[in-house]
Amino acid sequence: MFIQLLLSSIAIGSIYALVAMGFTLLWQASHTVNFAQGDFITVSAVLMFILICAGVPFVWALLATVVMSGILLGYVVKAGIIQPLINRSQTTLIVATIALSFLASNAVATFWSAQCKAFPPVFGMMPYRLGSVALSRQHVWTIVIAIVLILAINLFIQRTKPGKAMQAVAQNREAAKVLGINISAVTSMVFVINAVLVAFAAALIAPVYMVRFDMGAQLGLKAFYSAAIGGFNQIRGALLGGFLVGLIETFSSAYLSTEYREMFVLIVLIAVILIRKEGLLGTEER
Amino acid sequence: MFRKFMLVVLLVTLGLVLIGGGAIAQDDTVTFGIVCELSGSGANHGAQWRNGILLAFDEINNAGGILGRQIEYFTVDTESRPPVSVAAMQYAVTRSPFAVFGTIYSSSTIANMQILEEAGIIQFVGSTATTIYEQGNYNIFATSPINRNVFPWLVRWMASDLGVSKLVMVYTNDEMGSDGRDIMSEAAERYGVEFEGIAIQTGQADFAGEIARIQGMGVDTIFLYGHEEENARFMIQLRTLGIDLKVVGYSPLLSSLALSLGGEAMEGVMGAATWSYAYPPIKDFADKYQLLYGEVPSHDAMKGYVAMYTLKTAIEQVGSFDEELVRTWLHENTITTDMEPRVFLDTSYREDGTVDRDFFLVKIENGEQVIVQVISTKEE
């Protein structure tokens, strides 16, 4: 039972971590807290669901969604909404993303459906068995894919020239500009990476959450908690936060109380902020 | 003098035309309101409820209406939120409907039922929480047997037929679920069954902690009482973890929506259903609904459809659109399938607005409901 619980909490935590990593990347590149992050998941899941219903095999539907999400939720959102406001106050950017959140979820409800739809089980129903322990295929593959994605993003940031440009912009925008880095292009790239992460998160979560116009709201909120707990300006912080939230949720409902499972996460969030306002692994910003 | 006389004649004639015209317009039609959850967490319920009612409207209008009047209607969305449902109901009153169908969520109905009571407008609701029917509201009518009428029978059946000595109930932490938990725990005590409740949240997606807790309790049967979506997610997670618990439930677990969302994970589930599309008299309706809307009707669709035919029957039996007489007739008489076949089951209303009629014990086999037994609410 403990192994199943651990696996389950890591699986859900890894999805929080993926989405929280997107929060962090956006913050580093543009000092934007994207409150539409959860709704980006919804839009990606709906696009993928429509393709699957049209008979497109899952892998191709996923790839097509990644591309569409990158263009629509990455490049278009950055160029059309964020870029014109990037020199305004943070409050303006936050209000813009909140408006985008409502727009996205309402558009899905109005133009697609307000009703819940079952997403096909991607990894199958039968569990893997290790002796007497049954492991959910969904959980196992969610963890594997999330870890691969996290490693890939980290490699990209650490080892490639565009990744190093992202780091430079994150550390000091003005200095990066002086060094000849195209800030706008780097920010666009970060928005596209975030949209790609979100599309993968949608593929991993849709078989569990099912597809609905508001499916991303809770997930976006949990990812936000994760980023805040771990540290909004550090990728490793977001990852730690994601896994922590997954662990707290699952183990508290198993051993403490199912009624107050949300409360335990919020208690940890408040405690962390009170003790270390920049989050567990976050760094102080000037 | 002649001019004055002509002016009076003209005014009187104009007045008569206006009054008469109004009367003709009123006598031609009757207005009903549909106030339900068309967006938000209850959107699936609301859509089916509305569709069932609209199908009934369509059939009735095509057959000549009610007492010669054609049905007109308006629809208002509550967004599945009790405060919005209050505003929606206040708006509905301004449209002066003969009756309102909705709401479905118990928490919304509790919030809005007084508005229609004060306005004297008949209200048919899809809600099942006991609290609603303890308010002494003579104006409200349930559309299916409520938890209080079904759960005691279910506990007795689980204890005697499934050998359940400890009952673990998984319920949503809202008005519907809490009401179910209270009734279930009382019934369990009455039949000497140990009871344990596990709360889940509306919209919850991950149940690993709850499932681990159940495994730790060493039971082989659980009673699952969430909304359709949580039920389906819970079942999928249970089966993907390879856990072979017997799962018993109520209409939200056995509905066509839960079955379509849960797929093969729902196989073998049993429980009580207030309506079953497997019941032969309902088959025609179910086929027609599926043809029109492209989905199997859930109990919400059947509740809405039957509510409209129940009201139509009462109006026709009374012979007029007198709200007070219709309300009284509904409380004092049994609507039989001889009077109106499309009520599907003989139905009578108690003083508190709850229903006395049969319900079904069903099992899910090959993705379909199979009726095991038909039970009357009067058995409890």
Side-chain angles (χ1 to χ4, degrees), chain B residues 309-330:
Chain B
Y309 274 105
T310 301
L311 182 59
K312 173 184 176 277
T313 311
I315 294 167
E316 287 175 343
Q317 291 294 319
V318 167
S320 78
F321 285 91
D322 183 317
E323 296 249 9
E324 189 52 49
L325 290 178
V326 171
R327 217 176 351 248
T328 307
W329 191 92
L330 279 166

Side-chain angles (χ1 to χ4, degrees), chain A residues 1-285:
Chain A
M1 187 172 88
F2 181 81
I3 294 171
Q4 284 173 343
L5 263 184
L6 190 66
L7 193 75
S8 171
S9 58
I10 293 173
I12 193 76
S14 61
I15 294 172
Y16 296 157
L18 272 185
V19 185
M21 193 159 81
F23 267 120
T24 301
L25 288 172
L26 294 185
W27 176 260
Q28 288 180 339
S30 63
H31 274 215
T32 307
V33 180
N34 179 22
F35 281 100
Q37 191 82 332
D39 303 282
F40 282 11
I41 295 172
T42 306
V43 172
S44 299
V46 169
L47 289 173
M48 212 176 316
F49 181 79
I50 291 170
L51 289 172
I52 289 171
C53 287
V56 179
F58 171 72
V59 175
W60 289 109
L62 171 62
L63 291 176
T65 305
V66 165
V67 173
M68 285 190 285
S69 177
I71 295 169
L72 183 71
L73 305 175
Y75 186 77
V76 172
V77 165
K78 191 267 173 180
I81 297 171
I82 304 300
Q83 189 60 40
L85 302 172
I86 206 153
N87 292 323
R88 307 267 183 92
S89 68
Q90 272 179 23
T91 315
T92 310
L93 278 170
I94 286 172
V95 170
T97 62
I98 290 173
L100 185 62
S101 161
F102 282 112
L103 182 72
S105 61
N106 280 303
V108 169
T110 308
F111 299 113
W112 180 64
S113 174
Q115 297 187 31
C116 185
K117 313 277 180 190
F119 198 87
V122 178
F123 306 109
M125 294 281 285
M126 294 303 289
Y128 294 120
R129 293 206 176 266
L130 284 178
S132 62
V133 181
L135 304 175
S136 157
R137 284 171 187 261
Q138 175 74 32
H139 288 158
V140 171
W141 283 104
T142 296
I143 294 168
V144 170
I145 293 168
I147 288 174
V148 168
L149 279 170
I150 289 166
L151 289 175
I153 296 288
N154 270 298
L155 273 176
F156 177 79
I157 292 170
Q158 303 295 334
R159 301 281 169 86
T160 66
K161 204 173 166 185
K164 285 176 180 163
M166 277 169 62
Q167 285 188 64
V169 172
Q171 282 162 18
N172 191 324
R173 286 174 74 86
E174 293 309 314
K177 207 172 177 178
V178 171
L179 288 171
I181 293 171
N182 184 337
I183 306 287
S184 177
V186 170
T187 312
S188 297
M189 184 176 66
V190 171
F191 269 84
V192 170
I193 290 172
N194 175 58
V196 168
L197 282 177
V198 157
F200 275 102
L204 295 176
I205 204 71
V208 182
Y209 271 57
M210 300 174 182
V211 185
R212 219 173 85 156
F213 74 98
D214 58 355
M215 64 176 283
Q218 276 291 318
L219 194 54
L221 199 63
K222 303 276 175 61
F224 180 79
Y225 297 160
S226 306
I229 289 172
F232 230 100
N233 57 9
Q234 291 293 323
I235 290 177
R236 58 203 170 101
L239 298 178
L240 174 70
F243 288 115
L244 263 181
V245 170
L247 284 167
I248 295 166
E249 266 189 357
T250 307
F251 279 87
S252 64
S253 56
Y255 295 110
L256 297 170
S257 164
T258 55
E259 275 174 298
Y260 303 112
R261 72 201 307 265
E262 304 277 320
M263 192 184 74
F264 295 111
V265 175
L266 292 171
I267 288 172
V268 172
L269 172 65
I270 291 167
V272 168
I273 290 171
L274 284 175
I275 296 164
R276 201 166 190 279
K277 70 176 190 310
E278 58 274 19
L280 293 174
L281 300 179
T283 54
E284 197 167 352
E285 290 186 1

Side-chain angles (χ1 to χ4, degrees), chain B residues 98-343:
Chain B
F98 182 81
V100 167
F101 296 93
T103 41
I104 301 171
Y105 272 15
S106 295
S107 46
S108 289
T109 302
I110 287 166
N112 65 49
M113 60 194 280
Q114 205 182 343
I115 296 166
L116 289 188
E117 188 187 17
E118 284 169 5
I121 297 169
I122 292 170
Q123 183 177 16
F124 279 87
V125 297
S127 317
T128 55
T130 309
T131 335
I132 295 166
Y133 307 98
E134 290 175 340
Q135 310 286 319
N137 184 336
Y138 196 65
N139 197 58
I140 203 159
F141 297 92
T143 48
S144 64
I146 65 166
N147 302 345
R148 194 182 61 201
N149 304 135
V150 178
F151 283 12
W153 183 91
L154 266 173
V155 175
R156 189 154 52 91
W157 169 74
M158 281 191 277
S160 61
D161 287 36
L162 301 183
V164 172
S165 57
K166 180 175 180 177
L167 176 58
V168 173
M169 178 180 187
V170 179
Y171 64 95
T172 42
N173 199 11
D174 59 9
E175 190 63 40
M176 178 195 91
S178 308
D179 179 72
R181 178 206 56 203
D182 293 347
I183 293 164
M184 212 55 157
S185 68
E186 274 172 35
E189 195 178 339
R190 196 192 313 164
Y191 293 113
V193 174
E194 197 184 335
F195 179 85
E196 186 96 39
I198 293 180
I200 56 172
Q201 314 299 321
T202 307
Q204 188 173 329
D206 183 65
F207 298 98
E210 287 77 4
I211 291 171
R213 195 173 266 251
I214 293 165
Q215 281 184 293
M217 289 171 174
V219 293
D220 65 358
T221 304
I222 60 163
F223 185 78
L224 180 55
Y225 190 52
H227 298 287
E228 281 82 346
E229 291 169 32
E230 292 91 56
N231 288 339
R233 289 190 196 114
F234 189 96
M235 288 305 302
I236 289 171
Q237 204 158 350
L238 203 64
R239 300 309 183 212
T240 52
L241 284 169
I243 298 166
D244 198 24
L245 278 172
K246 265 185 245 158
V247 180
V248 178
Y250 191 37
S251 291
L253 177 67
L254 304 155
S255 75
S256 55
L257 174 61
L259 297 187
S260 76
L261 292 175
E264 58 184 291
M266 307 300 285
E267 216 45 31
V269 163
M270 287 188 86
T274 52
W275 285 112
S276 171
Y277 56 84
Y279 184 57
I282 296 174
K283 192 80 176 63
D284 278 350
F285 159 75
D287 290 345
K288 199 170 177 179
Y289 185 97
Q290 196 161 5
L291 198 68
L292 262 175
Y293 300 110
E295 58 186 359
V296 178
S298 74
H299 61 289
D300 292 310
M302 291 181 227
K303 279 153 80 170
Y305 181 82
V306 169
M308 185 54 228
Y309 274 105
T310 301
L311 182 59
K312 173 184 176 277
T313 311
I315 294 167
E316 287 175 343
Q317 291 294 319
V318 167
S320 78
F321 285 91
D322 183 317
E323 296 249 9
E324 189 52 49
L325 290 178
V326 171
R327 217 176 351 248
T328 307
W329 191 92
L330 279 166
H331 279 290
E332 292 179 355
N333 294 276
T334 297
I335 299 161
T336 65
T337 50
D338 290 337
M339 288 176 186
E340 173 53 71
R342 278 159 290 196
V343 296

